[in-house]
Amino acid sequence: MLVKRYISEGLAHFSYLVADQGQATVIDPRRDVVVYLDEAAAGGFHIDHVLETHRNEDYLVGSCEIESITGAEIFHADSQWDYQYGFPAEEGQIWWVGRLKIQAIATPGHTPGSMSYLLYDPDGNPWMIFTGDALFSGDVGRVDLMGQNRLEEMAGLLYDSLFTKILPLGDGIIICPAHGSGSVCGAGINDRTWTTIGMERKNNPKLQVDSKEDFIKTHAQMLERPPYFKKMEQLNVEGPPILGKLPWLRPMLPNAFSEAGQEALVLDTRDQISFGSAHLAGSLALWSDTLPKFAGWFLPYHQPIVMINDQLSHERILRMLIRMGFDNLSGYLKGGVLNWSWAGKQLEKVEIISVSAFYQTVNNDPDIFVLDVRSADQPWDDGIPQGVHIPLTQLKDNLSEVPKDKRVYIICTRGNRSMTAASLLMNQGYQDIVVLIGGLTAWQAYLRNEV
Amino acid sequence: MLVKRYISEGLAHFSYLVADQGQATVIDPRRDVVVYLDEAAAGGFHIDHVLETHRNEDYLVGSCEIESITGAEIFHADSQWDYQYGFPAEEGQIWWVGRLKIQAIATPGHTPGSMSYLLYDPDGNPWMIFTGDALFSGDVGRVDLMGQNRLEEMAGLLYDSLFTKILPLGDGIIICPAHGSGSVCGAGINDRTWTTIGMERKNNPKLQVDSKEDFIKTHAQMLERPPYFKKMEQLNVEGPPILGKLPWLRPMLPNAFSEAGQEALVLDTRDQISFGSAHLAGSLALWSDTLPKFAGWFLPYHQPIVMINDQLSHERILRMLIRMGFDNLSGYLKGGVLNWSWAGKQLEKVEIISVSAFYQTVNNDPDIFVLDVRSADQPWDDGIPQGVHIPLTQLKDNLSEVPKDKRVYIICTRGNRSMTAASLLMNQGYQDIVVLIGGLTAWQAYLRNEV
Amino acid sequence: MLVKRYISEGLAHFSYLVADQGQATVIDPRRDVVVYLDEAAAGGFHIDHVLETHRNEDYLVGSCEIESITGAEIFHADSQWDYQYGFPAEEGQIWWVGRLKIQAIATPGHTPGSMSYLLYDPDGNPWMIFTGDALFSGDVGRVDLMGQNRLEEMAGLLYDSLFTKILPLGDGIIICPAHGSGSVCGAGINDRTWTTIGMERKNNPKLQVDSKEDFIKTHAQMLERPPYFKKMEQLNVEGPPILGKLPWLRPMLPNAFSEAGQEALVLDTRDQISFGSAHLAGSLALWSDTLPKFAGWFLPYHQPIVMINDQLSHERILRMLIRMGFDNLSGYLKGGVLNWSWAGKQLEKVEIISVSAFYQTVNNDPDIFVLDVRSADQPWDDGIPQGVHIPLTQLKDNLSEVPKDKRVYIICTRGNRSMTAASLLMNQGYQDIVVLIGGLTAWQAYLRNEV
Amino acid sequence: MLVKRYISEGLAHFSYLVADQGQATVIDPRRDVVVYLDEAAAGGFHIDHVLETHRNEDYLVGSCEIESITGAEIFHADSQWDYQYGFPAEEGQIWWVGRLKIQAIATPGHTPGSMSYLLYDPDGNPWMIFTGDALFSGDVGRVDLMGQNRLEEMAGLLYDSLFTKILPLGDGIIICPAHGSGSVCGAGINDRTWTTIGMERKNNPKLQVDSKEDFIKTHAQMLERPPYFKKMEQLNVEGPPILGKLPWLRPMLPNAFSEAGQEALVLDTRDQISFGSAHLAGSLALWSDTLPKFAGWFLPYHQPIVMINDQLSHERILRMLIRMGFDNLSGYLKGGVLNWSWAGKQLEKVEIISVSAFYQTVNNDPDIFVLDVRSADQPWDDGIPQGVHIPLTQLKDNLSEVPKDKRVYIICTRGNRSMTAASLLMNQGYQDIVVLIGGLTAWQAYLRNEV
């Protein structure tokens, strides 16, 4: 028997393989499905079924990909939408994985047709529940995806799902949600990697409410919504294009890369230190470690993408983008920026400032322009007093607030968003930009150290 | 953050790595510690601490091995014994792993000084408990290790540990025991791979008792005790010899192997089908898939061991034996039994009989001698009517019950013990031996199919 | 820079990756091309070109597979045939791989349009030659593929290719042939894994001739030709079907396997010891270690194949078959023959005899029937005096020579062909079959040991 | 059979495993010997012998390491020195590896007792020669290690070894030298990865001489000699300390790293772009890709070393240093420089200038100070006209030539040495330093592009 969780880096998406006695079921697979296939092959399990907890909005689901290989039957939730593949999962429906029973429980709220799946142990006792985006460790699903109009309705549905269907299953049940800490699907998700109904009942802040009204009042909120969600929602109903295998990434020497970059977007996945030091004119800074968080905001679906990446694994980036439907990443600069420099080609820099120098600058010159690009849900008052707040994701629409004739100091929580902001501004013609390396994390630590 | 379980195949021993923010703690490590070190290195964690839940009797603990590499401090339970390494863990003692607190809770019963370790989540809530051999999924620890005299005393201690210390922690707590299904430390352990206090409280048969007396009455039993336990108990107090790395296994061509076999025990790890068909005279049949269950009964500590193995991974067997202190495995027959045959050397066989032929034999000849070597805790009445019951582990001491002048049919649950029994008998001069391939599992399936 | 050889197990097919400065060329790729792609990706090389030395007859070439992934241009030899993909390679044509030049040299003989490719080092000196099936280490290509009519013509062409085009390149040139020891394309190929023109000129027995006439006289011979060659020849001109990824192998529990076996051929890849001991009725014995040698004789293209395999890697067998166009392997028996036995299902055996017992049998009973199934090109007179010689590949057409009313002892070189022969005979209704384990290798070693 | 070459990155050291029929021999093993052991274990080969071609001066030989594990017998050349392990290899001595013969041939010149080892194929024909540092692809061994006094004597010995012992073996013999392109043991070694006597005879520039005198005259030269050579020479005669396994690298959070750095040397292995942008005060810049070239010049043996490394594999660096006897690398900064910044700690930068800006600077201001730190054997006249030439390895001894009161522009071939020079100068109190990113490679490419 095997119950295994797979974590998609950056998206913090959790998927699961449940296997017993030659059979296997995957819950909410990601699109690059080789991990499930390899595990199943190693254990001698045949993947018969794929279960989806809801129409996912933040990644492309791999159900059709698995079906194309093993012939698995797909069961999807949210059958109110016009699915072009698989079968609808019905409330109470049962599947078997060897000795293990799985049962569908309708838990709407995040989407109108969200399903949870209750797994029983070999002796027939309720054991684990796959809650999708209904219930996380430390948070519950967002309810704003149906729009402002249905906000309270959806929050009410979620309340009922949580308090009348999931929690009554008993404290001892293990919860297997669709996301972990770092997901755009729940800012409050913590990293208690395994959790139970008992622990959530006691410790999940969203469940500490007096009444349904109370829950609706506090939880019915519109949140930021990356533009790529729309694409994911559409493709996840249509059935995402079948990959078969990962696309080939073409290594390009500087001249070829230069030519490709005429048409393609140049994505630079290196960190703030490297990008600041030397980068290609016109490139977009999106650090690999947080790439999935921002790719959906800034990358195009209808333009080729070529990449600069100083890690050994180009495939890591490819997988991240493929999971979000960016099948248009076509190649990378072989040898990276050093190779570009050896070809005698032009390099740009973004000035970076270390925290001690910035401290002096701020203290000496109260009139400096500080652009704070932290996310909208950040508590704003702990930044630099001078900070003008424009979340990174809203920067392009608010350029008028950023002076072109003044040095612009950019800050954020850790420095990564700042460098992305810097690359966006430079591509808009801004020239005098300085990024605080390490961001407010560095700032606050510096203040603590100094005192 | 990382909480990861490692399963030692065959022993069904579970060990755990808990890691956060550059620090790591290992609970009950096995002796080949490279898995912990690799994981820690990959995540940038330094192993500061090793915690032992009790003096283990079924494998050599890897605590000193880790200490020799990372300098970790070792804390052991059972400090009533004369430990020659590490520090005693005290009731209530606290360790930190990054943001995670671990606290010792004395839970005697399996051994007099058994400890459990309660892990808190990053917010300070009780989260998981490492119960060692106190509480398993579906079973509780055996209480007979202190001998018949202290049987009831230990059972009483265990009752108190379970009912007054562990269960009151709350249903939502996740249980991380030291063994899973298949261990010699609990015949009733099931394979609900992750479990909680809530699930055990409801479903663990050993916890469904009315009173302490009831618990003691049903649970205070002497069980089979493999002879190697004594060696493990001694070395785990002294500190097992440091390995550094895995020993080198010498590949031997037939002539060299033949010479080595003069002095060494020849261990044949192939399955019943292969061993029956062709094997070396004098070799001992112990199938790799169940090797750790029987090695402690039949392998010597003070004689070299050489091996025949038809799987690709000789290292797999090496690891199994090293974990049990058999550092005397020195080499293997390169090319296996086929290579032996190509050298023109002698091969023996054990007659095997398939279930349909055996069915006819049993029906036609009520006087055949059937030796049933299933384990002592098996319900005996579902076998072959003629079966004479001598558990495999007691066979050597009961040879007088096995006739030398008659064909001996050997049966067991699946056929593996039978082949080991056959090899033992052949080495005692028995000549007319037949093994039922597939054992009683095949027999019962055959009867079902036929009806 | 990188020049790397890939060996396809069993077929002993050699393919090569040549890479420099971001570019790569593959010579004679096999069909499962992930090895080339992974290596190229790891080194940052783009595969621009695929070069074929000739129309291959013993495996499916992976050229189109690579083209489908990287867009490489394919150049094939033997353009006298009606190729449906790629471009013809012309005598003298040049390609560049970074700093490295590759030049085509027409070397007909094995096929009418065979090409060799001469690789120059970065300084422009001739360095290595990819000789395809023209010249091997210790042998030269067979010349019988165009039929008896053109036998001498082709031998003459090969002589000219070898003596007027390849050898004059100079002793220091390194030879990279398309096959190594064990290939059906040259019985005399030795395992001098790297060789040079100088070493072949001196040591290759086929090159020690006085004249073209001498060469033709000794080398113009019709050889055995496995029936699958025809399929390979056709598909390699048409372009083999694109795989994309390896097909999924379905693990099957005994009941499902039993059902599948109604329609499918059951291929048992275990060795003679295991197959003899217990196997499924009707199954075909083809040992994994020599599978590619015999698959083309005994496996069907238009019937599903299901497999029994006791090694961990089912993929290994899948790859072997895929390379020969057997895309019809669909699944395997999960848990192998042991699992089959536990389901109470029927098992058969083939009697095996060890060499000492066989020695006595032969000496005691001069009238026994011994079937010697060694290959046709074997020196026959070193076997058992009583041996009736029918090569395994001709057995089906010569069943009338094998008595059904007599015990049939089967021998071969090492015992593997014997077990295949045994399974073929059993499927034809033969019942009293005995296989000499270890074959004549064991026999001769036994005689040496005894004397 | 197996003949495999292992390349130690950076050192460009080649070692070899020769294996056949259960036996294996390693030639010139490196100190981290797991590659040989794993390969031998996978193929079922026992390593009986280790052969050394000479007393190595540029790395620690792994002979004793292998002996400690498999019990192999070690044979060393240069027995005129006082070896404390193994046996001397004698001219003409023979070893067997299965069917393969190896024979010692004395080929002095690089050292007084250098040996080559001639490998015969299974049929007994001379096949490959392991030439150590006598003969490389494109170069021959240096002859200056015995000092100026014996320079001509050693060159004469080498001439005789090459022209009377190696070359006469015949053009078809494959050469397996101890070093490839990039080694400090031969600046002219090219990357013709496999070569033959024929190819060297024709193409190796050092072999194109008219007479012994001619050879001595051109080849008898004193070359740069890294200070660590002395340590290697001593330990390779004594027998290097046995590792057993790789040492543990401690991951350190910023505070712990800061503390460790009080005493330890801080080695920063990131490239010029990252180091220039932000680094720790006092750290030494040695880029991982060329680390083995410079470690022996700048790292201490008697001071702990802690590391900053932005690649995933800290082990890669560890291996590089271990091979050179730097067993004092003890840990690394977890999370790298970003993590350091988030802790609010101080960061420094080195100004870098891109080639176009530098071009303007040079043209506008003929008085700038340009420090050219390319190696001593570089043709100096192709640099920047203003360049003052001080090879990196001689910089510390020539600080007086570098002004402290002026901006110092540093250039080299590709920019890496420049950044090391910059870090050395900063640690000497220099403050106004600018590094030309991409070095003269960028400069020359820029000029070509511009014209």
Side-chain angles (χ1 to χ4, degrees), chain D residues 58-274:
Chain D
D58 59 326
Y59 71 95
L60 291 185
V61 76
S63 310
C64 296
E65 200 75 32
I66 291 178
E67 180 197 42
S68 76
I69 295 165
T70 78
E73 288 190 334
I74 303 168
F75 292 87
H76 53 72
D78 281 318
S79 54
Q80 72 280 359
W81 285 310
D82 186 25
Y83 271 83
Q84 289 166 40
Y85 63 89
F87 306 94
E90 314 275 358
E91 163 88 297
Q93 188 167 355
I94 282 170
W95 301 265
W96 287 92
V97 187
R99 301 164 297 163
L100 309 175
K101 186 171 75 170
I102 299 181
Q103 189 168 17
I105 299 177
T107 50
H110 173 63
T111 59
S114 284
M115 285 280 171
S116 291
Y117 298 101
L118 180 62
L119 175 70
Y120 292 77
D121 77 6
D123 298 325
N125 305 304
W127 182 20
M128 292 181 167
I129 183 162
F130 301 95
T131 52
D133 279 18
L135 177 55
F136 304 116
S137 180
D139 206 341
V140 301
R142 58 193 288 182
V143 294
D144 64 327
L145 295 177
M146 296 299 101
Q148 181 76 50
N149 284 352
R150 299 181 62 183
L151 197 53
E152 300 203 348
E153 171 203 350
M154 299 304 287
L157 284 171
L158 184 60
Y159 179 89
D160 292 339
S161 295
L162 294 168
F163 285 87
T164 71
K165 304 193 86 170
I166 295 178
L167 296 189
L169 292 169
D171 280 2
I173 302 299
I174 294 169
I175 297 173
C176 296
H179 283 291
S181 169
S183 163
V184 294
C185 296
I189 303 179
N190 62 32
D191 57 356
R192 186 165 56 217
T193 42
W194 291 94
T195 192
T196 61
I197 288 182
M199 268 183 283
E200 294 311 311
R201 199 177 45 73
K202 281 190 205 149
N203 305 319
N204 188 321
K206 299 291 176 61
L207 300 183
Q208 313 309 314
V209 289
D210 295 329
S211 64
K212 185 169 177 176
E213 289 66 38
D214 185 9
F215 180 84
I216 293 172
K217 203 167 62 186
T218 58
H219 191 56
Q221 292 176 33
M222 293 306 290
L223 303 174
E224 264 207 338
R225 190 170 175 170
Y228 84 114
F229 272 24
K230 216 173 146 174
K231 179 95 176 174
M232 299 297 98
E233 288 167 350
Q234 175 205 335
L235 286 176
N236 280 335
V237 168
E238 289 177 1
I242 299 298
L243 285 175
K245 61 198 171 317
L246 287 183
W248 173 250
L249 281 186
R250 181 181 288 259
M252 288 182 269
L253 294 178
N255 283 338
F257 191 81
S258 178
E259 204 172 313
Q262 300 298 322
E263 189 197 352
L265 180 137
V266 177
L267 167 66
D268 192 321
T269 67
R270 296 174 305 146
D271 68 18
Q272 54 191 275
I273 291 174
S274 302

Side-chain angles (χ1 to χ4, degrees), chain C residues 306-352:
Chain C
V306 292
M307 168 173 68
I308 291 165
N309 175 31
D310 62 353
Q311 295 296 312
L312 296 175
S313 174
H314 303 301
E315 190 186 306
R316 178 185 170 223
I317 307 295
L318 176 64
R319 286 183 184 276
M320 285 177 173
L321 294 189
I322 284 293
R323 287 171 194 158
M324 302 172 76
F326 293 105
D327 298 1
N328 46 336
L329 176 64
S330 65
Y332 61 90
L333 176 58
K334 179 180 159 78
V337 171
L338 272 181
N339 207 18
W340 184 264
S341 82
W342 294 327
K345 293 190 181 292
Q346 188 59 29
L347 286 168
E348 308 273 310
K349 66 171 71 174
V350 177
E351 202 62 41
I352 64 178

Side-chain angles (χ1 to χ4, degrees), chain B residues 249 252 257 260 263-268 298-307 321 326-332:
Chain B
L249 281 185
M252 287 182 271
F257 192 81
E263 188 198 351
L265 179 138
V266 177
L267 167 66
D268 192 320
F298 300 114
L299 293 187
Y301 279 107
H302 297 298
Q303 184 190 1
I305 300 172
V306 293
M307 169 174 68
L321 294 189
F326 293 105
D327 298 1
N328 46 335
L329 176 65
S330 65
Y332 61 91

